[in-house]
């Protein structure tokens, strides 16, 4: 029976329920089976070989309902006595992602043979229960007359790699050597992947070099292994050797090389591999296409990535995750959400990677309705319960904070069973963003009491909270205590927050002294924070000092010119405003137009200042003019003294 230490309670419950139902299945009468079923007596020959072939087809097509129907027929006609039928059933349920049912079939078997053990271990690994797969392997080794074979070891070694169990991997390697399987291609390939994952390059290379025969699987293991640990030159060197020895590359060779060039941002060589893929005729293979999308996305060739995506005949979850990541990383949050909505209309079910890609798009657009819908989907689908992923909870919390729903963020935080430093940082930053500095400091104290070590991001959040809430004294103390009390050396970001804090509080002279005396050379961010404070408090003299530094360090940034222009405009120095305008023209500096988003039931709508591309632009501008007219009736007069017309 399954023990609680191996599996979560919900999986145990499902498994026991299925085991109980097996006895009920035996009592099913012929009248209970649909008469028009494709497996009816008239069309099905009750042959064990036909049953197994049909189960394999169901596994390939992930056709769970047909697979269950075949299972019922096999019970009715006594076909479960065959070890092959047990193995086929386990495989079918595994491929249909019904691990509880696969486990129930295995445990229902009174005396499982090696094939059954191999099938259930493989099922556990394939469904993400690698640690439990290792536990089953250990249990199998205690069984008499059950000896692992060349199919057992690769699965167990892969499980060890996935859960970072190097010691167990080495023990399994020793077992493979003892039984004479070390030189088997698939066992050796799994071992190479294991050792490269742990950066044990010498062990991997030694094993690879002593193999008498090396097929493309082994070469791919070396190329992909080096690529995954960032040793890109070694990956390319192995590929060169592979070509010299006349080994024909496979699609997995291609995906390994594409990952190398994606990491390097080498679009030129990535395109060459794409050309090679076309010659191989595997461009439409979904695995290769996904790698091409990833490569083009990381090389910032968005149109090429989208073209590849649209040509895929049958998308899988990795296709959607790849294209969503491309748009999210490029900053096109609108298109990220459009693609996510499009994905939800397909048969592909989003996973934790999908939602943690879509949620930041909601954060950037302040699309709270979209974010709530995604969170609701996660709850209804069980993802929020089953995943138990701190990263997912953090993404939800971050979305609520940036969409202005701090109460929802607090609820999410309080319900989390596990929290990492990022969880605390999000809440500290959230309180700071909403001007609740005291709550941010209280959260920081709770973090320290929970013995979670603050990091650099934590102190950026705390200092930013002090800045927005005007808690200058507390901010000074925190900056002074960072290195001594917490072992975190202040960086430019921390000094920038401190300069901003002092400047917002009107302590411009102290802010300037900190900027010129801090142990790190101030960068444009520090000076721009100081310039912004000068604008708030109307200090033109210090604003000019900051602007001179900025024009030297970062002459192409429009924000510096706009801030100084605003200072001059507030003073009524229009000649100086005109000079700023001329300087921008001479240096070809343009202010990015302002952009706003509004979320409606029809989706997120983006509006750029002066933009008429929206299909309802005429109605929108007419409504705006009407609103402005009503405001003027109540005496509103816009103050546009410091605004440059061509800078808006």
């Amino acid at each position: 029976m399954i023990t609680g230490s191996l599996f979560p309670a919900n999986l145990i419950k499902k498994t026991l329920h299925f085991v109980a139902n097996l006895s009920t299945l035996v009592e099913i009468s012929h009248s209970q089976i649909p008469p028009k079923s494709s497996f009816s007596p008239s069309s099905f020959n009750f042959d064990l070989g036909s049953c197994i072939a049909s189960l394999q087809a169901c596994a390939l097509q992930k056709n769970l309902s047909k697979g269950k129907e075949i299972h019922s027929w096999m019970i009715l006609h006594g076909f479960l006595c065959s070890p092959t039928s047990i193995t086929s059933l386990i495989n079918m349920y595994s491929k249909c992602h019904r691990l509880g049912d696969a486990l129930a079939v295995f445990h229902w078997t009174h005396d499982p043979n090696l094939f059954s053990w191999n099938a259930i271990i493989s099922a556990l690994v394939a469904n993400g229960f690698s640690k439990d797969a290792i536990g089953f392997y250990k249990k199998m080794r205690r069984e008499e007359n059950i000896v692992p074979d060349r199919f057992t070891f690769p699965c167990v070694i892969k499980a060890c790699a996935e859960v970072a169990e190097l010691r167990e991997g080495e023990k399994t390697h020793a077992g493979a050597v003892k039984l004479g399987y070390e030189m088997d291609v698939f066992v050796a390939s799994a071992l190479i992947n294991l050792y490269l994952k742990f950066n044990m390059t010498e062990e991997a290379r030694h094993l690879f070099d002593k193999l008498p025969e090396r097929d493309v699987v082994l070469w791919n293991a070396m190329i992909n292994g080096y690529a995954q640990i960032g040793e890109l030159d070694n990956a390319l060197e192995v590929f060169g050797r592979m070509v010299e020895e006349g080994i024909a590359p496979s699609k997995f060779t291609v995906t390994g090389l594409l990952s190398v060039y994606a990491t390097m941002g080498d679009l030129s060589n990535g395109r060459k591999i794409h050309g090679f893929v076309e010659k191989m005729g595997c461009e439409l293979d979904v695995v290769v296409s996904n790698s091409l999308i990833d490569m083009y996305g990381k090389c910032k060739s968005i149109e090429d990535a989208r073209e590849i995506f649209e040509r895929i005949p049958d998308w899988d979850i990795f296709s959607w995750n790849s294209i969503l990541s491309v748009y999210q990383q490029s900053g096109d949050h609108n298109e990220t959400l459009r693609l996510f909505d499009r994905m939800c209309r397909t048969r592909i079910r989003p996973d934790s990677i999908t939602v943690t890609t879509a949620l930041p798009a909601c954060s950037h657009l302040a699309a709270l309705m979209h974010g709530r819908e995604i969170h609701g989907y996660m709850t209804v689908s069980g993802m929020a319960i089953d995943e138990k992923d701190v990263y997912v909870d953090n993404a939800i919390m971050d979305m609520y904070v940036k969409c202005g729903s701090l109460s929802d963020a607090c609820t999410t935080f309080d319900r989390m069973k596990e929290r990492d430093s990022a969880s605390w940082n999000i809440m500290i930053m959230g309180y700071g963003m909403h001007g609740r500095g005291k709550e941010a400091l209280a959260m920081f104290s709770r973090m320290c009491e929970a013995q979670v070590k603050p990091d650099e991001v934590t102190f950026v959040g705390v200092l930013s909270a002090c800045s927005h809430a005007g808690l200058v004294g507390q901010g000074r103390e925190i900056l002074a205590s960072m290195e001594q009390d917490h072992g975190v050396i202040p960086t430019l970001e921390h000094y920038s927050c401190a300069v901003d804090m002092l400047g917002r509080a009107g302590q411009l002279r102290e802010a300037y002294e900190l900027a010129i005396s801090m142990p790190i050379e101030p960068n444009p961010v520090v000076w721009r924070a100081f310039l912004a404070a000068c604008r708030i408090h109307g200090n033109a003299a210090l604003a000019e000092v900051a602007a001179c530094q900025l024009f030297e360090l970062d002459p192409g940034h429009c924000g510096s010119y706009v801030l100084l222009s605003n200072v001059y405009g507030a003073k009524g120095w229009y000649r100086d405003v005109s000079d700023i305008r001329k300087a921008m023209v001479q240096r070809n500096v343009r202010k990015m137009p302002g952009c706003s988003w509004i979320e409606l039931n029809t989706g997120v709508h983006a509006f750029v200042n002066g933009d008429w591309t929206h299909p309802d632009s005429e109605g929108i501008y007419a409504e705006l003019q009407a609103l402005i007219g009503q405001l003027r009736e109540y005496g509103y007069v816009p103050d546009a003294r410091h605004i440059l017309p061509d800078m808006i």
Side-chain angles (χ1 to χ4, degrees):
M1 185 55 63
I2 306 170
T3 62
S5 61
L6 282 178
F7 299 98
N10 61 334
L11 187 55
I12 294 174
K13 186 176 179 181
K14 290 178 182 178
T15 304
L16 293 175
H17 177 71
F18 191 84
V19 171
N21 283 347
L22 282 176
S23 58
T24 307
L25 279 171
V26 179
E27 300 173 1
I28 295 177
S29 65
H30 291 281
S31 62
Q32 291 176 286
I33 300 173
K36 294 184 179 180
S37 167
S38 58
F39 299 102
S40 62
S42 60
S43 61
F44 196 70
N45 294 322
F46 300 113
D47 175 73
L48 178 59
S50 300
C51 284
I52 291 170
S54 298
L55 284 172
Q56 291 171 346
C58 291
L60 188 64
Q61 299 167 9
K62 295 181 173 56
N63 192 335
L64 179 62
S65 61
K66 294 297 182 185
K68 282 189 170 183
E69 193 171 342
I70 298 170
H71 189 179
S72 299
W73 279 104
M74 293 173 73
I75 293 173
L76 283 170
H77 296 278
F79 289 162
L80 289 187
C81 58
S82 166
T84 310
S85 62
I86 297 296
T87 303
S88 299
L89 281 167
I90 291 172
N91 180 59
M92 184 274 293
Y93 282 123
S94 170
K95 294 291 175 61
C96 292
H97 305 295
R98 295 295 294 263
L99 184 59
D101 294 346
L103 285 162
V105 172
F106 176 81
H107 284 288
W108 186 75
T109 308
H110 299 295
D111 190 18
N113 64 2
L114 175 62
F115 302 109
S116 300
W117 282 102
N118 285 349
I120 197 62
I121 290 171
S122 176
L124 288 162
V125 175
N127 285 273
F129 287 87
S130 293
K131 188 171 184 179
D132 303 306
I134 297 170
F136 265 74
Y137 170 70
K138 291 178 180 178
K139 186 177 179 182
M140 184 192 84
R141 294 306 308 267
R142 294 194 292 269
E143 294 287 326
E144 295 183 5
N145 303 321
I146 301 291
V147 180
D149 64 2
R150 59 192 295 266
F151 299 103
T152 315
F153 289 113
C155 287
V156 178
I157 295 166
K158 181 182 179 182
C160 293
E162 289 183 351
V163 297
E165 287 280 0
L166 177 59
R167 183 174 177 81
E168 289 298 330
E170 290 175 329
K171 288 180 180 178
T172 308
H173 185 180
V177 171
K178 184 177 180 180
L179 294 172
Y181 291 115
E182 186 188 26
M183 296 295 105
D184 178 83
V185 170
F186 294 102
V187 175
S189 175
L191 286 168
I192 287 170
N193 282 323
L194 171 74
Y195 288 131
L196 285 176
K197 183 169 184 177
F198 285 94
N199 252 325
M200 299 171 66
T201 54
E202 291 185 9
E203 289 81 355
R205 182 63 73 104
H206 175 72
L207 178 60
F208 179 78
D209 288 337
K210 76 176 185 178
L211 289 167
E213 294 184 8
R214 296 188 289 265
D215 67 358
V216 67
V217 175
L218 287 165
W219 289 98
N220 290 345
M222 291 294 290
I223 293 170
N224 284 283
Y226 276 128
Q228 288 167 8
I229 63 173
E231 296 200 11
L232 308 182
D233 290 338
N234 281 333
L236 295 176
E237 181 264 330
V238 170
F239 176 66
R241 283 181 57 192
M242 177 181 177
V243 173
E244 289 175 2
E245 295 193 16
I247 305 297
S250 71
K251 67 178 184 180
F252 296 108
T253 316
V254 168
T255 56
L257 291 172
L258 286 172
S259 69
V260 170
Y261 292 128
T263 305
M264 297 171 69
D266 189 342
L267 180 60
S268 176
N269 279 315
R271 288 192 189 280
K272 290 177 182 177
I273 298 298
H274 188 180
F276 178 69
V277 165
E278 290 177 335
K279 290 181 180 179
M280 287 176 65
C282 61
E283 184 184 19
L284 296 182
D285 180 273
V286 67
V287 175
V288 175
S289 295
N290 293 345
S291 295
L292 284 168
I293 292 169
D294 180 64
M295 184 274 294
Y296 279 124
K298 288 179 178 174
C299 293
K300 304 188 185 308
S301 185
I302 313 301
E303 291 182 2
D304 287 318
R306 184 60 173 265
E307 184 180 347
I308 296 294
F309 174 78
E310 297 295 352
R311 288 210 302 257
I312 297 175
D314 190 18
W315 299 301
D316 62 9
I317 183 64
F318 303 105
S319 310
W320 285 103
N321 287 347
S322 296
I323 196 67
L324 284 168
S325 296
V326 166
Y327 279 97
Q328 178 59 19
Q329 290 166 8
S330 71
D332 192 343
H333 310 299
N334 270 319
E335 190 59 27
T336 302
L337 288 185
R338 288 195 195 99
L339 282 166
F340 179 79
D341 291 342
R342 181 178 162 192
M343 176 185 179
C344 291
R345 294 192 293 270
T346 69
R347 61 179 178 80
I348 304 297
R349 175 182 171 180
D351 63 5
S352 61
I353 296 173
T354 316
V355 298
T356 51
T357 304
L359 284 171
C362 299
S363 303
H364 282 91
L365 300 177
L368 181 59
M369 284 192 294
H370 259 79
R372 281 199 170 125
E373 287 174 1
I374 294 172
H375 189 192
Y377 166 80
M378 295 169 64
T379 303
V380 170
S381 66
M383 188 185 300
I385 299 172
D386 292 340
E387 293 289 345
K388 294 183 179 177
D389 191 341
V390 175
Y391 184 66
V392 173
D393 289 330
N394 288 345
I396 295 168
M397 197 162 46
D398 184 64
M399 179 274 296
Y400 280 130
V401 162
K402 291 177 179 174
C403 289
S405 184
L406 193 57
S407 59
D408 285 322
C410 292
T411 300
T412 304
F413 180 82
D414 292 337
R415 288 178 178 174
M416 291 174 66
K417 293 182 179 179
E418 295 181 15
R419 305 183 185 110
D420 59 10
S421 60
S423 311
W424 293 93
N425 292 345
I426 291 167
M427 287 306 302
I428 291 169
M429 191 71 73
Y431 279 122
M433 287 169 57
H434 289 76
R436 296 166 63 174
K438 291 182 179 179
E439 288 93 333
L441 292 178
M443 184 64 69
F444 174 67
S445 298
R446 282 181 59 191
M447 179 182 183
C448 296
E449 290 170 3
Q451 297 184 340
V452 178
K453 183 176 173 57
D455 56 18
E456 292 181 357
V457 179
T458 311
F459 287 103
V460 169
V462 173
L463 290 169
S464 178
C466 292
S467 175
H468 285 84
L471 303 175
V472 179
Q474 292 93 322
R476 283 179 179 275
E477 291 176 4
I478 288 167
L479 181 66
S481 67
M482 280 176 58
E483 184 173 1
Q484 182 177 353
D485 295 347
H486 303 282
V488 178
I489 300 173
T491 66
L492 276 169
E493 284 186 288
H494 301 114
Y495 285 113
S496 176
C497 289
V499 169
D500 181 62
M501 174 184 67
L502 293 168
R504 283 174 182 266
Q507 300 179 20
L508 296 179
R509 180 58 60 183
E510 290 85 348
Y512 176 70
E513 289 176 357
L514 176 60
I516 61 175
S517 65
M518 62 191 211
I520 311 171
E521 190 71 24
N523 66 354
V525 177
V526 174
W527 286 114
R528 201 168 291 118
F530 180 63
L531 177 55
C534 294
R535 182 191 66 80
I536 292 171
H537 297 285
N539 192 319
L542 287 176
E544 288 177 337
V545 172
C548 287
Q549 295 288 339
L550 284 166
F551 295 154
E552 182 178 344
L553 293 171
D554 192 8
H557 195 289
C558 66
S560 309
Y561 298 88
V562 173
L563 285 169
L564 185 59
S565 172
N566 290 345
V567 173
Y568 289 152
K571 293 285 186 182
W573 299 351
Y574 299 116
R575 180 174 294 179
D576 294 308
V577 171
S578 178
D579 290 341
I580 291 291
R581 180 169 148 188
K582 290 177 183 176
M584 291 182 71
V585 173
Q586 291 171 356
R587 299 176 185 180
N588 196 28
V589 177
R590 295 183 61 85
K591 182 181 181 296
M592 292 296 293
C595 183
S596 299
W597 295 270
I598 183 170
E599 186 183 22
L600 304 173
N601 291 331
T602 54
V604 178
H605 298 259
F607 296 94
V608 177
N609 193 12
D611 181 17
W612 284 82
T613 59
H614 194 280
D616 297 322
S617 290
E618 291 187 7
I620 292 169
Y621 280 106
E623 191 68 28
L624 283 173
Q625 291 300 322
L627 289 171
I628 292 171
Q630 292 179 31
L631 288 170
R632 284 175 174 163
E633 288 179 6
Y634 285 92
Y636 170 73
V637 179
D639 181 5
R641 290 176 299 167
H642 58 279
I643 299 177
L644 303 181
D646 60 345
M647 290 169 58
I648 300 175

